[in-house]
Amino acid sequence: MSNFIVFKNKIKKFNKAITVSGDKSISIRWVLFSSLAKGVSSAKNLLLSEDVVAAINIIKKLGIKTKLKNNQCRIFGNGIDGYKYRKNIVIDAKNSGTLGRLILGLLINTPFPIKLIGDKSLSKRDFKRVSDPLSKFGAKFKLNNKKYLPLKIWGSPNLKPINFFENKGSAQCKSSVIFGSMRTNGTTFIKAKKSRNHTELLYKFLGLPIKIKNKRTYDEIKVSKINLIKPLNYTIPADLSSSAFFIVLTALSKNSELVIKNVNINPTRIGIIKILKKMGIIIRNKNKRIYKGEVIADLKIKSSKSIKSINCPVKLNSSAIDEFLIIFLVAAKAKGISYFKNLSELNQKESPRLKWGEYILKEMGVKTITTKDSIKIYGNPNLKIDKKIIIKNYLKDH
Ligand code: S3P
């Protein structure tokens, strides 16, 4: 029974300050950048989730020494060409799309084939979206059923820069190509639909060759070969995705207030805050500051007496992509019908999230109309749940 969490009683009103664990996107990127730095990098508050531990295990397989104690980690990088490529290396990205897709960008120069595997959920996800552009650099791939893991990558000593149009709003695809460009002579051009920009911010902070022009819906990015990455000491800020559950808990509770400390509120991640504010929920930033290019703040959330429905602007989709399920719960308690559209990427995640959203809301007695890429949620401010609902985590998803 240990896999079950049972909520029986209503939560009493609260007024508290909490911290949540470190940002997953930045934790994985810190591991990967540090693995190619020259010298010792250290991180505090590293997220110790399975995904990040998988990242550490992969770089160890590639010959990089690491030391992990609680959530502090040191990585002893040997420079940009410091991976020890050997015959028959198998690396395991476990459940992590970010890790699986980003690491491939760094491996396009491997002289021996490397096999990438993942868990059941990751093995159902599209890897062609990164193998296609990485092939243009000159690497070769063999994918399971032309699209999936396990895959094999063969690197090339003659890599060429590429032009890449990223039109899904996927930071994983964008970052994988940025990483690929590190290993090629010449300049790679990326036109990318807006998505989280932690890779670009780390490039800038580390003084690596990147030029970015921000257009209204796209970014134009120019990147070129890297010779040296300096060690990177980083205190990982709290993850807005983990905070999302407590934000929504507070919003839907009565007479409560919550402060969540040191949260990463990078503008490319705050879709949930913008959406909830439009729905009438009070969220304020305190102690806003810049840390290594990222924006950090304490978030103060108040319970809401009345929640408005929303016709969610499509331009917020990418910046709320990991938070939609929890946002749907707010829509379930809103006055009126909420509409979320152009969400085909939601079913490309660790689990088919749009399908799950529909299923969970239905179990709660909430009417929805769902298509393959949209959901209408008929909100009910007086929604009461009077039966036991079991949500099986049949595919792992954060
Ligand atoms: C991530 C990008 C997003 C997100 C994932 C983390 C990242 O995926 O869903 O949890 O760290 O780059 P996509 O880039 O595929 O949308």
Side-chain angles (χ1 to χ4, degrees):
M1 290 297 281
S2 60
N3 283 337
F4 285 91
I5 306 173
V6 181
F7 297 94
K8 278 191 188 150
N9 301 322
K10 278 197 177 165
I11 291 169
K12 294 200 186 95
K13 75 168 186 181
F14 54 87
N15 187 339
K16 286 198 182 304
I18 60 165
T19 53
V20 302
S21 46
D23 186 285
K24 178 166 70 94
S25 294
I26 297 182
S27 293
I28 293 176
R29 284 165 174 78
W30 174 80
V31 172
L32 297 181
F33 274 99
S34 303
S35 72
L36 291 177
K38 181 110 192 112
V40 187
S41 300
S42 68
K44 288 185 186 151
N45 200 37
L46 191 73
L47 174 67
L48 286 184
S49 71
E50 193 189 74
D51 292 16
V52 182
V53 174
I56 295 174
N57 285 334
I58 286 185
I59 62 159
K60 277 184 175 165
K61 273 242 164 124
L62 295 165
I64 305 300
K65 198 177 128 194
T66 66
K67 271 198 181 151
L68 181 63
K69 202 176 167 205
N70 302 321
N71 54 10
Q72 301 207 16
C73 186
R74 275 187 297 160
I75 292 180
F76 301 77
N78 297 319
I80 197 81
D81 292 315
Y83 287 165
K84 289 198 183 81
Y85 293 127
R86 294 175 282 112
K87 281 186 186 154
N88 303 323
I89 294 184
V90 180
I91 54 173
D92 188 351
K94 302 265 177 174
N95 186 244
S96 176
T98 306
L99 172 60
R101 290 173 179 146
L102 266 59
I103 190 74
L104 287 175
L106 298 179
L107 299 180
I108 60 170
N109 65 345
T110 173
F112 305 111
I114 294 179
K115 186 173 180 186
L116 171 64
I117 60 171
D119 72 0
K120 198 173 144 199
S121 145
L122 193 63
S123 305
K124 288 188 178 154
R125 298 177 64 191
D126 173 15
F127 270 75
K128 193 173 176 310
R129 57 173 60 195
V130 287
S131 65
D132 275 355
L134 296 179
S135 304
K136 289 211 264 158
F137 282 116
K140 288 202 169 58
F141 290 85
K142 191 162 182 236
L143 294 99
N144 185 22
N145 277 331
K146 301 203 163 100
K147 196 170 170 185
Y148 302 107
L149 299 186
L151 67 70
K152 259 192 183 172
I153 174 171
W154 286 259
S156 162
N158 303 310
L159 298 160
K160 310 178 290 292
I162 65 167
N163 291 334
F164 175 53
F165 178 31
E166 197 296 301
N167 61 358
K168 293 181 168 60
S170 164
Q172 294 177 355
C173 295
K174 174 179 69 179
S175 300
S176 184
V177 171
I178 293 179
F179 279 177
S181 76
M182 246 188 221
R183 304 230 183 256
T184 61
N185 285 316
T187 303
T188 285
F189 295 90
I190 304 168
K191 180 178 174 190
K193 202 166 155 185
K194 299 270 182 198
S195 63
R196 66 188 70 191
N197 66 352
H198 308 300
T199 306
E200 296 92 303
L201 291 180
L202 278 170
Y203 256 69
K204 281 192 184 156
F205 175 74
L206 288 163
L208 301 174
I210 190 162
K211 286 206 174 100
I212 305 170
K213 270 196 199 147
N214 298 115
K215 300 278 158 103
R216 204 168 55 82
T217 50
Y218 289 95
D219 290 332
E220 285 172 6
I221 303 170
K222 283 187 194 173
V223 261
S224 41
K225 191 177 171 71
I226 292 179
N227 296 315
L228 179 74
I229 300 180
K230 288 179 286 185
L232 177 60
N233 297 334
Y234 211 109
T235 302
I236 314 283
D239 198 326
L240 182 56
S241 298
S242 306
S243 308
F245 299 93
F246 300 98
I247 295 173
V248 167
L249 176 72
T250 311
L252 298 183
S253 296
K254 283 201 180 111
N255 304 321
S256 298
E257 265 185 43
L258 187 70
V259 174
I260 311 177
K261 313 263 289 175
N262 305 328
V263 184
N264 182 357
I265 55 159
N266 177 318
T268 63
R269 291 282 295 277
I270 55 172
I272 180 168
I273 298 180
K274 289 187 178 162
I275 291 169
L276 294 184
K277 279 186 170 171
K278 280 180 191 290
M279 298 177 86
I281 289 156
I282 297 170
I283 306 175
R284 297 226 160 81
N285 300 330
K286 287 171 27 178
N287 299 328
K288 198 164 150 183
R289 58 213 181 266
I290 305 289
Y291 177 74
K292 299 194 188 332
E294 297 284 351
V295 189
I296 320 280
D298 301 340
L299 293 181
K300 187 171 183 180
I301 308 103
K302 284 190 177 171
S303 322
S304 187
K305 289 213 174 72
S306 74
I307 299 170
K308 291 184 271 186
S309 57
I310 185 169
N311 182 359
C312 187
V314 169
K315 65 170 195 264
L316 296 178
N317 284 358
S318 168
S319 61
I321 199 73
D322 289 335
E323 288 76 50
F324 273 107
L325 280 194
I326 197 82
I327 294 169
F328 293 167
L329 289 186
V330 182
K333 291 272 280 179
K335 191 164 183 281
I337 304 167
S338 294
Y339 186 32
F340 303 89
K341 52 199 174 295
N342 288 21
L343 280 174
S344 55
E345 276 294 299
L346 263 196
N347 281 338
Q348 301 292 327
K349 298 291 169 183
E350 284 81 344
S351 69
R353 292 181 186 161
L354 194 55
K355 285 191 190 151
W356 261 113
E358 181 188 20
Y359 168 78
I360 294 168
L361 292 170
K362 216 171 244 161
E363 286 290 296
M364 288 167 51
V366 178
K367 182 179 162 190
T368 61
I369 298 179
T370 316
T371 68
K372 63 179 188 340
D373 68 351
S374 74
I375 185 164
K376 272 188 187 153
I377 300 173
Y378 289 70
N380 173 8
N382 301 316
L383 180 70
K384 295 253 158 18
I385 297 171
D386 49 17
K387 63 168 190 176
K388 185 159 146 193
I389 299 179
I390 296 180
I391 297 164
K392 277 192 246 156
N393 192 9
Y394 79 96
L395 277 179
K396 280 192 277 175
D397 196 347
H398 54 103

